[in-house]
Amino acid sequence: MKVAVLCNGPSRFAYTGRLGYDYVIGCNIPWTEVDATVVLDENVIHRWAKEPDLIRCKTYFSRKAWMETDAIKKRDFFHPYLIEVIDIMPEYDSSGHNAARCAIKLGAKQLDIYGCDSWFEQTLVSYTHKYFNDLNPDNIKKHVMGWRKRWEEIIKSNPDVMFNFIRNVS
């Protein structure tokens, strides 16, 4: 199974459509049509609750995000979107990492990963910052190194899966 993992960095625009993919999975608030997305943070839950059309696809929720749907008394709204509640790693585990893991669990043998700019350079720039101003420039190097390490762990633990980090270099 060939899957497109759509992260939220600037190079996401290298993705030109779902042709050739069996499944397309996004991160947080998808910027294009996807089969599913992964939501890790409570701030996404709060925004989505206020803007019901923000996300319109099936969703993998982190345990923390799912608990927040109950805390704000909106579980009934979110329940139809639920695919699974997932447990995330304690540090440097992004929605992109979890989207890849979810795709692998579904049987993916090839992952084309778009918008993962931190794989190529020292950046945390993300489409998600359009919705949340939570970029802390003091932590860029630390986070990028942590994210890369997490990717390396995922790659190493899935030797039968091909990982392609795709970047538009035009």
Side-chain angles (χ1 to χ4, degrees), residues 113-158:
I113 304 165
Y114 297 86
C116 186
D117 293 78
S118 61
W119 182 255
F120 302 102
E121 59 185 275
Q122 298 285 331
T123 184
L124 298 179
V125 174
S126 171
Y127 171 77
T128 306
H129 296 141
K130 170 183 172 182
Y131 297 96
F132 308 103
N133 188 14
D134 58 359
L135 180 62
N136 183 347
D138 296 334
N139 294 331
I140 291 175
K141 185 173 183 177
K142 181 178 169 186
H143 273 84
V144 168
M145 296 312 291
W147 284 346
R148 285 181 190 160
K149 182 178 179 198
R150 187 70 69 219
W151 278 117
E152 290 165 0
E153 291 167 358
I154 294 169
I155 292 166
K156 185 177 180 183
S157 63
N158 294 282

Side-chain angles (χ1 to χ4, degrees), residues 31 43 48-50 63 71-72 74 91 93 95-97 99 101 109 122 129 131 133 135 148-149 159 169:
W31 45 269
N43 59 355
W48 189 3
K50 290 177 188 168
R63 187 161 308 286
I72 64 171
K74 292 280 192 174
E91 191 171 35
D93 211 27
S95 54
H97 297 114
R101 284 191 197 99
K109 293 299 177 193
Q122 298 285 331
H129 296 141
Y131 297 96
N133 188 14
L135 180 62
R148 285 181 190 160
K149 182 178 179 198
V169 292

